[in-house]
Amino acid sequence: MSTEQVVPTPSVGVAKRASIHPLSPLTSREIVKSAELIRGIYPQKTNLQFKIVTLQEPEKAQLIPFLESEHRGAQVPRIDRKAFVNYYIRNTDKFHEAVINLTRGEVEKHFRLGPNQHGAADGEEIFLVEKVALEDEGVKAEIAKLQLPEGSVVIADPWIYGSDGINDDKRIWQCFLYLRDPGNADSNHYALPLPISPVVDTEEYKVIRIDLLPTGVDNTLSETKPYKIHSFNEYIPECHELRTDLKPLNVVQPEGASFKVTQTGETGEIVEWQKWHFRIGFNRREGMVLYDVRYDGRSLFYRLSLSDMNIPYADPRHPYHKKAAFDLGDAGAGIMANNLKLGCDCLGSIHYISTVLSGDNGEPLPMENVVCVHEQDAGIGWKHTNYRTGRAAIVRNRELVIQSIITVANYEYILAFIFNQAGDIVYEVRATGILSTQPIDEGLSVPWGTVVHPGVLASHHQHIFSLRVDPMIDGHINRLIYEEARAMPRSDLNPHGVGFTVEETVVEKSSGLDIDYEANRTFKIQNTSVRNPVNGKPVAYKIHAPPFQKLMADPESFHHKRAEFADHNIYVTKYQDGELYAGGLYTNQSRGGAGVRSWANRQDDVKDTDFVIWIQFGLQHIARIEDFPVMPCEIIKVALKPANFFSKNPAIDVPPSNQEFNRSTLVSEQHHQPTAEAIVGEKGEVCCSSKL
């Protein structure tokens, strides 16, 4: 990765290291070399469509000794650089998987994949699908029946087809059509959905079916008829009378940022901040990946990433019943990442990270400014006012934010790892963007969606995320436990019935587990071989995950079979190389059976071993009219917090806030509450005194 510094304030510390680290993303040269080695398998004019050329991460057994030697400053063992490749022979169903040993310059593994395994979308393919859909004569004939005004602009939103087991073995796309203001390329076309949906085959790139969409309260379909154009509903600022009473709020760091970024060769960065030390990677599918996360030299997490997400929709009618996007597996958080320099996405002294991914011809695809690193003030970190003296001790909570923003057609997701000075790591998702809409006859309503504009229905849907956590809490041999708060029965010890205790349960086998919020069930990752020096408890990190309604689809449905992670708050599986994605490696039109539920069903022993935790969290998006024409951010967070890992509050050494112009007092400078004290004299006598 390359980096660029924005300097409205003094610059961020940036250093460089020359060699390629085993965890650094592939360089441009490595991408080109990988594609060349694959092409070398075939006759010269064979046309290949590359879906992904990315880093094949080293086996953990190789990488752990490397990282430990690296931290000791010792000589590191050699690890071969490898690439993982997916590709098609273009315009066929011949989909392949390969591993390239770049160090040796050879194809190490190579095989054709079987039925119902399909590659992710790419930009060139999406463009061709749109073009094919709009140029088809049958589609044009249906559009003509709408009797749109001369000069009208129709656009297509291609959707990954989904699965229902009915004639869906081939790789196909479902397109939804919309009308756009011909005078405004940024017009909100989701305010004008059309009742026509072409289906496109991506082997021959042709329309194989035209679905007419139900616009009433049931499955009834009507012939295409003249379309009534309602008013536009825009989100861009020039279409609105803007507020005039908002004053500037400037984020200024006169001495620069407190973090340091070290570039490791052409790609890859190490970040150091407030005792934190970790490596940032980036790939096409997951986007940001954090490796080797440590605090004050102690190991915490081997790898952290957003593993998967699923967005199933509530409309039960054809073809909407197949709408269940896997935005990471079907497209990719990396390839959909925004250039953050183009908007006011990060504030303060910012460090941008750029990277390189692969295009459909196996060429390097530069991705500029896809991650920003910055600090933010998050309010009060800790505070206490001694009411006897009136003295307030207060520390502000400084946070380090590692942020990327992805656009998936209509939706935006603002994704961030957030570190604080008290040893917490928070993964935050902010969902915004525009609702995926469909036509509805005027004056009607349905129970599975909300009318957000005349003739426009926004179907209810879920956003279900899976955060993959590979722990190494003071080492790689850990256990997962959960604690529950239980009321004590009345007894001689508890005669008033007010006592309660905490009970601990060890998770022995790989499984899917749920959080019982009524029992305050809290999951912890422990290392029982390392004990807290004060209380003797095992060092641990606990998981704070918000409640959410799990997947609504029937257990026998394709939605449920495919979204293997979406039925439990927590999955725990024994570590195996290559098991990175909760929904499976290939989610496009998948059938299930290749994700985290299947891995958990192995019933592996996970007590005091190397395991992976998959944390599910999400939003039940019951659409509201206030979500249109653009949705205010919905925010959800998962936190990993120390539990008996430190001997005291680790933020106790953060310098106090000392702003003379904004000093906090209890009520006023003049107010001191009367207090009483007991003073022990020379002979042990105790006397009391009062003071103001």
Side-chain angles (χ1 to χ4, degrees):
M1 297 183 199
S2 61
T3 56
E4 183 173 344
Q5 169 61 32
V6 172
V7 273
T9 54
S11 63
V12 174
V14 179
K16 291 187 177 181
R17 295 181 185 174
S19 60
I20 300 179
H21 192 276
L23 291 173
S24 291
L26 295 185
T27 65
S28 297
R29 183 176 297 177
E30 289 175 323
I31 291 170
V32 170
K33 182 64 175 175
S34 299
E36 286 177 352
L37 287 168
I38 292 295
R39 287 194 186 95
I41 298 171
Y42 295 96
Q44 188 171 3
K45 293 187 178 181
T46 305
N47 192 355
L48 303 183
Q49 180 186 13
F50 287 90
K51 285 295 178 181
I52 188 167
V53 182
T54 193
L55 176 71
Q56 173 79 5
E57 294 182 9
E59 295 176 359
K60 198 181 222 183
Q62 288 183 300
L63 198 53
I64 289 174
F66 183 100
L67 295 174
E68 294 305 321
S69 296
E70 186 178 50
H71 285 288
R72 292 196 309 269
Q75 184 175 355
V76 295
R78 169 179 156 165
I79 297 179
D80 288 354
R81 291 278 287 176
K82 296 183 181 181
F84 177 86
V85 181
N86 272 148
Y87 71 94
Y88 284 93
I89 298 177
R90 199 179 292 271
N91 300 123
T92 76
D93 65 350
K94 297 176 181 178
F95 184 44
H96 297 76
E97 180 180 307
V99 174
I100 310 297
N101 189 315
L102 291 161
T103 303
R104 300 180 182 179
E106 63 186 26
V107 178
E108 197 168 88
K109 294 180 183 177
H110 181 252
F111 54 92
R112 180 179 170 182
L113 292 157
N116 302 122
Q117 292 179 302
H118 302 287
D122 63 69
E124 180 65 21
E125 178 180 57
I126 292 171
F127 170 74
L128 284 173
V129 169
E130 292 180 15
K131 188 171 183 290
V132 166
L134 295 174
E135 290 181 351
D136 180 78
E137 292 301 323
V139 174
K140 289 180 181 179
E142 288 298 322
I143 292 173
K145 295 176 186 178
L146 299 172
Q147 297 182 16
L148 301 174
E150 183 179 356
S152 294
V153 177
V154 176
I155 61 175
D157 260 21
W159 270 70
I160 293 289
Y161 189 77
S163 296
D164 62 3
I166 302 172
N167 298 322
D168 61 355
D169 291 327
K170 298 183 72 174
R171 192 166 185 276
I172 44 185
W173 288 79
Q174 185 100 37
C175 295
F176 297 102
L177 304 188
Y178 299 87
L179 186 63
R180 198 200 75 206
D181 179 355
N184 183 0
D186 290 312
S187 175
N188 176 22
H189 57 271
Y190 296 104
L192 295 167
L194 302 177
I196 303 165
S197 180
V199 177
V200 176
D201 176 347
T202 59
E203 288 179 30
E204 300 181 53
Y205 282 99
K206 67 178 184 180
V207 173
I208 58 173
R209 190 176 77 241
I210 301 172
D211 289 336
L212 299 182
L213 303 178
T215 59
V217 297
D218 55 24
N219 289 311
T220 303
L221 299 178
S222 302
E223 291 296 319
T224 307
K225 56 183 181 292
Y227 182 77
K228 182 179 179 181
I229 299 177
H230 296 283
S231 60
F232 298 110
N233 195 337
E234 307 295 2
Y235 62 90
I236 52 178
E238 57 266 32
C239 294
H240 300 274
E241 185 176 338
L242 302 180
R243 305 179 190 193
T244 58
D245 59 348
L246 193 64
K247 307 298 184 186
L249 192 160
N250 297 320
V251 177
V252 179
Q253 295 178 266
E255 297 180 17
S258 301
F259 59 85
K260 177 185 177 183
V261 179
T262 302
Q263 294 176 239
T264 55
E266 181 184 332
T267 60
E269 276 80 17
I270 293 171
V271 177
E272 298 169 271
W273 177 81
Q274 294 292 290
K275 303 183 183 181
W276 289 101
H277 182 285
F278 55 90
R279 177 177 294 276
I280 300 178
F282 195 91
N283 63 55
R284 183 188 186 96
R285 180 162 179 163
E286 298 162 292
M288 300 182 295
V289 182
L290 303 188
Y291 302 101
D292 194 23
V293 180
R294 298 175 183 246
Y295 186 93
D296 204 17
R298 296 173 69 182
S299 62
L300 294 178
F301 300 100
Y302 178 79
R303 192 183 193 276
L304 296 172
S305 70
L306 182 64
S307 167
D308 236 320
M309 71 167 83
N310 180 236
I311 305 92
Y313 280 74
D315 194 332
R317 303 169 299 173
H318 183 275
Y320 300 120
H321 70 288
K322 299 192 303 297
K323 285 183 74 173
F326 290 79
D327 287 341
L328 272 62
D330 292 350
I335 198 65
M336 296 182 295
N338 289 189
N339 184 333
L340 300 179
K341 207 172 180 182
L342 300 179
C344 192
D345 297 308
C346 310
L347 298 174
S349 189
I350 308 161
H351 181 81
Y352 287 117
I353 297 176
S354 299
T355 191
V356 59
L357 300 177
S358 59
D360 75 318
N361 288 312
E363 78 283 11
L365 186 65
M367 301 288 293
E368 296 183 351
N369 310 312
V370 289
V371 176
C372 66
V373 183
H374 65 105
E375 294 174 290
Q376 65 185 19
D377 180 275
I380 293 173
W382 61 261
K383 177 181 179 178
H384 179 65
T385 298
N386 186 336
Y387 75 85
R388 293 173 175 83
T389 65
R391 177 177 174 178
I394 181 171
V395 162
R396 301 294 295 179
N397 181 19
R398 182 80 65 89
E399 293 179 334
L400 181 71
V401 181
I402 315 297
Q403 179 175 286
S404 186
I405 302 176
I406 67 174
T407 298
V408 193
N410 55 299
Y411 252 104
E412 267 76 19
Y413 296 99
I414 301 160
L415 310 172
F417 289 100
I418 302 172
F419 298 80
N420 71 16
Q421 295 155 305
D424 298 352
I425 304 175
V426 172
Y427 189 79
E428 179 185 89
V429 175
R430 295 178 179 238
T432 180
I434 303 177
L435 295 163
S436 177
T437 58
Q438 59 199 67
I440 188 170
D441 294 338
E442 203 166 354
L444 298 182
S445 63
V446 292
W448 51 77
T450 301
V451 174
V452 294
H453 188 67
V456 180
L457 177 69
S459 178
H460 305 322
H461 53 281
Q462 296 179 276
H463 301 258
I464 303 173
F465 305 88
S466 182
L467 182 70
R468 185 181 184 275
V469 177
D470 188 343
M472 53 175 188
I473 306 300
D474 270 343
H476 292 270
I477 304 304
N478 295 161
R479 66 169 57 172
L480 180 66
I481 65 102
Y482 58 85
E483 294 179 339
E484 296 175 315
R486 298 293 183 188
M488 295 172 62
R490 285 183 180 266
S491 65
D492 291 342
L493 178 62
N494 183 36
H496 302 288
V498 298
F500 65 91
T501 60
V502 175
E503 297 177 1
E504 180 179 300
T505 302
V506 178
V507 178
E508 304 274 354
K509 300 287 186 179
S510 60
S511 52
L513 303 154
D514 290 310
I515 298 173
D516 182 351
Y517 294 93
E518 292 300 314
N520 193 48
R521 182 179 293 169
T522 302
F523 287 86
K524 291 183 178 179
I525 310 161
Q526 290 182 341
N527 186 335
T528 57
S529 66
V530 182
R531 298 281 171 164
N532 186 282
V534 177
N535 59 25
K537 292 182 176 292
V539 296
Y541 258 67
K542 65 179 181 176
I543 299 167
H544 278 198
F548 79 101
Q549 193 169 17
K550 299 173 191 72
L551 186 70
M552 298 288 288
D554 184 275
E556 296 302 315
S557 68
F558 273 84
H559 282 6
H560 188 275
K561 292 174 184 177
R562 300 175 68 213
E564 294 206 11
F565 52 92
D567 57 345
H568 287 290
N569 295 103
I570 301 286
Y571 269 101
V572 57
T573 60
K574 189 170 184 178
Y575 178 86
Q576 287 198 18
D577 289 316
E579 292 184 349
L580 296 174
Y581 312 120
L585 183 55
Y586 302 107
T587 60
N588 186 358
Q589 295 175 236
S590 60
R591 296 297 196 265
V596 68
R597 186 190 301 136
S598 302
W599 305 333
N601 287 341
R602 294 190 300 245
Q603 288 285 287
D604 293 328
D605 292 329
V606 294
K607 178 183 174 182
D608 297 331
T609 186
D610 188 7
F611 59 81
V612 176
I613 297 172
W614 316 75
I615 306 170
Q616 281 62 246
F617 58 105
L619 297 169
Q620 180 69 282
H621 194 169
I622 306 303
R624 56 184 184 138
I625 201 165
E626 289 85 358
D627 292 331
F628 204 68
V630 67
M631 174 183 161
C633 280
E634 290 277 353
I635 305 172
I636 44 176
K637 300 180 181 183
V638 171
L640 302 169
K641 303 170 73 71
N644 301 308
F645 189 81
F646 299 104
S647 59
K648 62 180 70 174
N649 177 357
I652 199 74
D653 58 353
V654 176
S657 174
N658 189 26
Q659 299 171 336
E660 292 297 323
F661 62 89
N662 193 31
R663 188 170 63 240
S664 174
T665 58
L666 187 61
V667 176
S668 70
E669 287 291 340
Q670 290 73 39
H671 175 77
H672 291 282
Q673 183 169 326
T675 63
E677 294 179 343
I679 300 174
V680 180
E682 181 180 356
K683 297 180 179 180
E685 73 279 11
V686 178
C687 59
C688 296
S689 66
S690 299
K691 65 180 181 179
L692 182 62

